[in-house]
Amino acid sequence: MLFLVFFYTILHSLNVSFAQYNIGLIDEVDYDVRSAFDIASQSKLLIPHKEALFSTDPYRALQIACSLLDSKVIGILVTSNRENTDPVQSICDLKEIPMLEVRWNDRLSRGGTSINIYPHPPSLSKAYVDIIKFWKWDEFTILYEDNEGLSRMSEILKMGHIYNIMVKQLIAEEGSNYRASLKEVWKSDHINFVLDCRIDNLETILEQAQQIGLITKTYSFIITNLDFHTIDLEPFKYSEAKITGVRMLNPESEKLIRFAEDVAEKKHETYRSNQQEAENVLAVDKLRLETALVADAVTFFGSAALEIDNSTTFYQPNAFCSNSYTWKMGMTIYNYMKTLTVDGLTGTIKLDNEGFRSDFNLDLIELAEEGVFTVATWNMTDGIQKKLSPIDKVINGEYSLQNRSFIVITTLTYPYGMLKESQESLKGNDRFEGFAIDLIRELGKLEGFNYTFIIREDKANGVKDEHGKWSGMIGDLITEKADLAITDLTITSEREEAVDFTSPFMNLGISILYRKPSKAPPNFFSFAAPFAIEVWLTLAGAYFIVSISLFVMGRLCPSEWTNPYPCIDSPEFLINQFSLRNSFWFAIGSLLQQGTEIAPIAYATRMVAGIWWFFTLIMVSSYTANLAAFLATENPDIPFNNVYELNERAARLGIKFGAKKNGATLNFFRDATSKEFQQIYHYMHSNEDDVMMKENSDGVDRAERELYAFFMESSSIEYEVQRRCNLTQIGGLLDEKGYGIAMRKNSIYRHALSTAVLKLQETGKIQDLKRKWWEERRGGGQCMGDGDREDAKPLNLKNVGGVFWVTVGGTLAAVVLVFLEMILHVMKVSIQHKVSFVQLLKEEMKFYMQFKGLVKPVTTRKGSKSPEESEKTNEHERIEQPTYGFLPAITKGSPID
Ligand code: GLU
């Protein structure tokens, strides 16, 4: 006896009731529901009694309820429809047997002893309203299937005064063809939809919506069904439509995962369902809300019953349909449930005063290419709370790099990673040096993380094979051999799909590494090289114009007519030195800096001469300087100037070309669309064994030895040409890209590392490191200056145009001076000799314009002939009657001489 008392006390203290009670289920024989019911009942020491009700038959429902009461159940769980549930509820209310519901029920007042742990309809409606507000929709269409669906939208419909709402019922034709209804919707200009339908039809409706073009980038959907996540979403993942839904179940919860496994096992054991079905439930994300709610309802009810049983004397039910008793404990359990809080599979279960579950949590989920992910959470008090993404968390400082340890993989590629040259034996990270090693050290210092370097011996950065598997360092990140990868690792779109990169720490592009071209033999006309052809032509033109100007101005300027016999005060004739021949001679003499004995006298001719001398000074100096530059530069004999010429001439010149095997450079040619680049790729691909190099240094060696052009990234070319002076970069960059630090996809450290890289860039640290490893260490700067010398270029009109314009300006000014001088002279003579100015001017002009002879009679002298008489006189006659008894030889010639 004493033993029995002791045993009972122990059981009591363990919250285990000695007596066992029955619990009933009325369902449509759903194996998931039944398994969940069994599992939860047994965990609460309840004995499950299950009754099936396949069709809508209230009378039968009543009979089943009565038979369960006869079995002395302390509660009945009903998963059947409302028509079947109502009679069960009335008999349970009458007998005060708690009835449990797990389905949507919009009857807002509850009497008797029934509870429903499905979210309370007004609360759920409020959640939908909050989601619409969260997405900031101002117009949308409600697509609903039946009246129950429309009543779910009641709260949303109340917002009709704020939003432009359209309501459309989805009517299935020929079974499950919703296309006609969907097409009507598609024709409207609405792009946002709230879709309410049964879970069994959801997939079909979405498929048909996709067929008629409603599931595209333009459209957004909110799916109200809480089982949305259980359908096959694969076909809609890539649609770019914004599809959001809500769920109560958290597929990451361990409790839920275990429960799904238990259900699968139970179903398999008890109901001998085939393995396939069992596996379906094993996937926690395919677990329906109803299954979890059944378990939660039983757990919730069972917990209350156990508590009551433990705290007070518990009676077995004695209220049957055949008698008029009520079960007193029923109301006690019901009231107790309203005060109870249980942590269930669907979150915290607690009821309000009326027995509704109005406080619950929901996840707002969105469909993306990667699958379903939670964007926000909802509850009655706080409404929608945006879920922080890993990036947001980094920004909020939740993911700090402080004190983390990373395995950093790198390759021994100059100058990114190299083995330290040291007499002592070095260990760990100390064994390595180089740009990448220093960069990680700087990042570590900045962000406070630790690191250990490991080396990828084959120097493979990583390529994707035909099965989508990644090799090299990218593969090492995916297989978690390393956390970070750094070397000359190019950021490519293909790699970005597999891993994440920080912001680029170096920018570069593909170019050609080739031998420095040899000196070309000098050109026969190399003396002409300093000036471009147009300069030579303009120079010749200027020479011609200036010579002619001198000739014309010489004639027009009175001062250029000089006394041939300075010892005679009043000569009969004046002579002019600027014959055509002399003018050209004077100009060429000045141009070649030799001078002539001809010296201009008049202002105008002196001005032209001065300007011409200035012109020649500048031109000769420019020519001399540029000639010196031409002589100093080696005229390289370049076999090709760019990638296109290489592609065109390579075969003819016997030049081979290649790139690093399995590198980003080769992939650039593979993916390029241009015809030439495709030809290059095919050449490299089909001669892979000959022209493709395992690593960059092999390509560099070969470029030095043979007629071999190596496609390489510009930063690496820059490094090599500083050390191997017989190599150079040919042509510009074929593309633009960068090197980044790689890490596993969706890494939470990406933002912090990228920010740190940018900081190092902004403070000039990365530039310092580049200078150190490119120009200073390991033979850097040896060939500095070699490649910097610019090729001498012929001067063109742009270079010397100014001086031509100065000459033109000077000549025009001289023309003005000529006329000024002539007018002043004529004016002076006319006043002196009291002759008509106009007539004298006419006579002078006439003489000048004849361009005959270089001897001019001094016509206005006293005692000489009047101008009228003089006009009548033949000039030759005058010459043939010399005043002084002889004639200077020059008077014989024509001005052209
Ligand atoms: N940086 C290249 C890569 O990440 C390797 C060198 C190259 O292909 O030129 O694959």
Side-chain angles (χ1 to χ4, degrees):
M1 181 65 198
L2 207 68
F3 172 75
L4 268 181
V5 170
F6 176 73
F7 183 59
Y8 184 81
T9 316
I10 296 274
L11 282 176
H12 215 99
S13 65
L14 288 171
N15 272 353
V16 176
S17 173
F18 193 52
Q20 285 220 308
Y21 304 105
N22 298 329
I23 183 165
L25 168 76
I26 303 174
D27 77 333
E28 290 158 9
V29 189
D30 178 319
Y31 292 139
D32 287 355
V33 164
R34 289 192 157 204
S35 303
F37 182 73
D38 288 347
I39 293 166
S41 304
Q42 281 154 14
S43 77
K44 291 292 167 193
L45 301 173
L46 297 168
I47 303 164
H49 285 255
K50 298 173 288 274
E51 293 290 344
L53 182 61
F54 294 103
S55 56
T56 303
D57 185 349
Y59 180 66
R60 173 88 191 112
L62 200 60
Q63 281 182 325
I64 291 174
C66 286
S67 80
L68 284 172
L69 291 186
D70 289 345
S71 312
K72 295 191 175 177
V73 292
I74 60 169
I76 300 175
L77 195 156
V78 190
T79 65
S80 193
N81 59 30
R82 190 194 287 182
E83 286 76 11
N84 288 336
T85 308
D86 282 351
V88 180
Q89 188 179 348
S90 47
I91 193 76
C92 284
D93 286 350
L94 188 69
K95 296 292 168 185
E96 294 189 10
I97 297 287
M99 191 193 85
L100 315 171
E101 268 186 284
V102 291
R103 286 193 173 184
W104 165 275
N105 189 342
D106 60 350
R107 270 172 308 170
L108 298 181
S109 67
R110 191 166 294 280
T113 52
S114 63
I115 61 150
N116 189 347
I117 65 158
Y118 189 89
H120 189 38
S123 304
L124 204 51
S125 281
K126 182 175 180 308
Y128 298 140
V129 170
D130 286 349
I131 295 169
I132 289 167
K133 286 184 187 161
F134 180 66
W135 289 136
K136 298 192 175 74
W137 287 1
D138 47 14
E139 55 77 13
F140 57 90
T141 301
I142 296 174
L143 302 172
Y144 72 99
E145 222 186 345
D146 50 25
N147 290 344
E148 190 181 295
L150 198 58
S151 71
R152 257 193 290 271
M153 300 295 110
S154 58
E155 288 295 314
I156 301 177
L157 287 167
K158 282 185 204 159
M159 311 292 284
H161 60 287
I162 306 175
Y163 303 114
N164 170 9
I165 306 177
M166 218 167 84
V167 182
K168 174 83 196 151
Q169 184 170 16
L170 293 173
I171 299 164
E173 290 166 11
E174 304 148 17
S176 57
N177 184 355
Y178 297 91
R179 290 184 191 86
S181 311
L182 289 168
K183 246 182 217 155
E184 276 179 49
V185 172
W186 178 73
K187 280 182 199 150
S188 77
D189 54 0
H190 278 200
I191 53 165
N192 303 315
F193 303 97
V194 180
L195 173 58
D196 187 285
C197 65
R198 281 187 291 275
I199 195 67
D200 307 332
N201 299 333
L202 181 58
E203 213 170 312
T204 315
I205 292 172
L206 286 177
E207 263 167 24
Q208 292 176 5
Q210 190 166 40
Q211 285 159 8
I212 63 158
L214 269 175
I215 309 274
T216 66
K217 204 175 175 178
T218 321
Y219 300 99
S220 302
F221 286 81
I222 294 174
I223 315 283
T224 59
N225 199 302
L226 293 172
D227 282 329
F228 159 62
H229 58 279
T230 60
I231 65 164
D232 180 13
L233 293 166
E234 194 63 29
F236 316 109
K237 270 182 175 178
Y238 306 99
S239 63
E240 292 188 52
K242 190 176 171 128
I243 302 178
T244 46
V246 274
R247 75 175 166 202
M248 278 189 92
L249 302 179
N250 174 11
E252 280 159 25
S253 144
E254 284 199 12
K255 196 159 140 189
L256 196 72
I257 296 169
R258 257 199 323 275
F259 172 72
E261 286 168 4
D262 290 348
V263 169
E265 207 176 304
K266 186 88 187 169
K267 210 163 78 164
H268 188 61
E269 269 172 22
T270 320
Y271 303 105
R272 294 207 186 89
S273 96
N274 61 33
Q275 191 63 33
Q276 178 71 37
E277 264 186 56
E279 271 166 13
N280 279 345
V281 181
L282 267 178
V284 67
D285 53 351
K286 295 285 176 250
L287 188 75
R288 278 183 296 126
L289 178 64
E290 188 182 32
T291 313
L293 283 174
V294 164
D296 273 358
V298 174
T299 309
F300 188 65
F301 172 76
S303 306
L306 267 178
E307 282 292 327
I308 304 283
D309 184 31
N310 287 340
S311 56
T312 172
T313 323
F314 203 91
Y315 307 104
Q316 285 283 6
N318 56 353
F320 312 123
C321 291
S322 54
N323 63 23
S324 57
Y325 297 153
T326 54
W327 186 48
K328 296 282 175 275
M329 302 307 299
M331 198 45 101
T332 316
I333 297 175
Y334 173 73
N335 286 330
Y336 189 74
M337 279 196 288
K338 286 205 250 173
T339 62
L340 193 65
T341 303
V342 166
D343 192 18
L345 297 166
T346 55
T348 308
I349 312 165
K350 67 174 190 249
L351 303 177
D352 60 17
N353 276 342
E354 289 168 50
F356 295 119
R357 189 177 182 186
S358 46
D359 201 358
F360 52 93
N361 293 322
L362 288 177
D363 279 351
L364 176 59
I365 52 175
E366 197 174 322
L367 182 64
E369 279 187 24
E370 298 79 29
V372 166
F373 66 97
T374 306
V375 279
T377 55
W378 178 92
N379 65 40
M380 200 60 190
T381 10
D382 302 327
I384 298 247
Q385 296 288 310
K386 199 166 180 272
K387 204 173 167 203
L388 291 182
S389 67
I391 291 297
D392 295 330
K393 288 186 180 174
V394 171
I395 292 164
N396 291 353
E398 276 183 49
Y399 292 133
S400 149
L401 299 178
Q402 197 75 33
N403 295 331
R404 306 247 167 206
S405 292
F406 295 118
I407 306 281
V408 185
I409 192 159
T410 187
T411 57
L412 294 179
T413 305
Y414 291 96
Y416 306 95
M418 297 171 282
L419 282 176
K420 233 183 229 170
E421 289 159 354
S422 165
Q423 306 289 346
E424 299 157 32
S425 90
L426 300 170
K427 285 206 179 79
N429 291 344
D430 286 347
R431 287 170 298 158
F432 313 112
E433 63 176 10
F435 177 84
I437 311 291
D438 280 0
L439 183 57
I440 292 289
R441 183 183 306 126
E442 290 300 330
L443 289 172
K445 264 200 265 171
L446 199 67
E447 293 296 317
F449 65 83
N450 305 314
Y451 52 89
T452 308
F453 279 108
I454 57 168
I455 300 295
R456 174 96 204 176
E457 297 293 344
D458 63 2
K459 301 188 185 177
N461 289 2
V463 274
K464 191 158 82 166
D465 67 15
E466 60 277 17
H467 310 296
K469 201 165 174 282
W470 281 90
S471 63
M473 299 209 299
I474 303 288
D476 293 336
L477 290 177
I478 294 168
T479 54
E480 302 193 9
K481 201 173 152 198
D483 304 310
L484 302 175
I486 184 168
T487 181
D488 60 337
L489 189 61
T490 311
I491 304 172
T492 64
S493 57
E494 200 179 35
R495 285 175 181 165
E496 274 273 16
E497 280 172 20
V499 292
D500 278 346
F501 282 96
T502 58
S503 331
F505 57 79
M506 197 178 279
N507 294 312
L508 51 118
I510 297 170
S511 195
I512 308 168
L513 181 76
Y514 193 66
R515 274 196 208 174
K516 238 178 218 167
S518 52
K519 198 179 165 191
N523 191 323
F524 190 67
F525 288 106
S526 54
F527 66 85
F531 284 157
I533 183 79
E534 74 257 26
V535 177
W536 283 118
L537 290 176
T538 319
L539 187 62
Y543 167 64
F544 185 77
I545 290 167
V546 167
S547 305
I548 295 291
S549 304
L550 276 173
F551 167 62
V552 174
M553 286 181 206
R555 282 192 73 77
L556 293 186
C557 282
S559 345
E560 284 298 342
W561 294 95
T562 52
N563 181 354
Y565 312 110
C567 46
I568 296 168
D569 275 347
S570 306
E572 286 268 339
F573 300 96
L574 300 176
I575 59 164
N576 194 319
Q577 59 182 339
F578 279 110
S579 68
L580 199 58
R581 196 166 46 181
N582 281 354
S583 301
F584 274 97
W585 179 243
F586 173 80
I588 198 79
S590 312
L591 186 62
L592 300 178
Q593 313 245 286
Q594 297 308 312
T596 56
E597 283 178 2
I598 301 159
I601 297 163
Y603 291 116
T605 46
R606 282 187 178 176
M607 181 146 190
V608 174
I611 288 290
W612 181 244
W613 287 342
F614 171 73
F615 173 81
T616 54
L617 175 76
I618 302 294
M619 292 306 283
V620 169
S621 321
S622 308
Y623 176 84
T624 316
N626 209 28
L627 184 66
F630 264 88
L631 295 177
T633 40
E634 298 184 353
N635 211 356
D637 191 11
I638 304 175
F640 56 90
N641 285 299
N642 52 45
V643 64
Y644 302 102
E645 288 181 8
L646 170 66
N647 180 39
E648 205 181 287
R649 302 177 191 167
R652 183 161 43 85
L653 300 174
I655 299 172
K656 289 180 178 177
F657 54 83
K660 183 182 169 181
K661 240 181 219 172
N662 296 332
T665 301
L666 179 70
N667 288 353
F668 163 79
F669 287 106
R670 182 195 65 191
D671 301 335
T673 47
S674 108
K675 197 178 95 217
E676 291 84 358
F677 289 178
Q678 275 303 308
Q679 284 170 354
I680 290 175
Y681 175 71
H682 285 303
Y683 166 81
M684 296 199 290
H685 186 61
S686 46
N687 298 288
E688 190 175 333
D689 291 341
D690 180 18
V691 299
M692 295 306 289
M693 297 295 135
K694 189 167 166 283
E695 53 185 275
N696 275 346
S697 54
D698 296 340
V700 177
D701 290 343
R702 186 159 174 193
E704 218 175 8
R705 282 194 317 265
E706 299 171 23
L707 288 181
Y708 179 75
F710 188 53
F711 287 109
M712 203 177 178
E713 285 161 335
S714 55
S715 49
S716 304
I717 293 185
E718 220 180 292
Y719 178 82
E720 295 299 344
V721 298
Q722 296 238 8
R723 286 154 183 82
R724 307 198 192 203
C725 303
N726 54 346
L727 290 179
T728 189
Q729 174 180 330
I730 295 201
L733 304 186
L734 310 187
D735 63 349
E736 273 176 36
K737 50 199 178 188
Y739 292 151
I741 303 172
M743 65 207 83
R744 265 183 297 288
K745 194 87 194 141
N746 299 326
S747 173
I748 50 174
Y749 307 117
R750 178 191 186 167
H751 182 81
L753 277 171
S754 279
T755 313
V757 167
L758 289 177
K759 268 190 212 154
L760 290 184
Q761 249 157 4
E762 282 162 9
T763 52
K765 193 77 215 165
I766 292 188
Q767 279 312 309
D768 290 348
L769 290 182
K770 185 156 184 229
R771 203 171 310 113
K772 173 179 165 188
W773 290 107
W774 264 251
E775 294 171 17
E776 292 164 12
R777 299 288 177 92
R778 305 234 182 183
Q782 265 179 48
C783 318
M784 203 92 119
D786 271 26
D788 295 349
R789 193 182 296 146
E790 281 250 330
D791 285 351
K793 288 196 185 80
L795 297 178
N796 56 28
L797 271 185
K798 268 194 203 135
N799 303 116
V800 289
V803 72
F804 279 98
W805 284 112
V806 170
T807 313
V808 170
T811 312
L812 290 179
V815 171
V816 176
L817 276 183
V818 165
F819 286 105
L820 214 65
E821 198 179 333
M822 192 168 77
I823 285 166
L824 284 176
H825 171 75
V826 172
M827 208 186 274
K828 192 174 144 200
V829 174
S830 74
I831 291 168
Q832 226 172 31
H833 299 282
K834 297 193 177 54
V835 285
S836 153
F837 169 76
V838 178
Q839 202 164 8
L840 194 55
L841 187 65
K842 256 192 205 164
E843 193 186 329
E844 287 280 307
M845 286 304 286
K846 193 175 172 191
F847 172 74
Y848 293 142
M849 290 307 158
Q850 279 172 353
F851 289 101
K852 281 183 190 165
L854 289 162
V855 176
K856 183 183 161 208
V858 182
T859 51
T860 52
R861 249 181 343 112
K862 256 189 196 158
S864 71
K865 290 171 189 165
S866 70
E868 291 81 22
E869 287 164 334
S870 169
E871 204 176 324
K872 285 176 208 149
T873 314
N874 180 304
E875 194 181 319
H876 282 98
E877 276 173 18
R878 280 182 277 168
I879 295 165
E880 275 155 25
Q881 293 159 11
T883 318
Y884 313 107
F886 69 92
L887 258 178
I890 50 167
T891 59
K892 280 287 181 187
S894 81
I896 308 301
D897 297 333

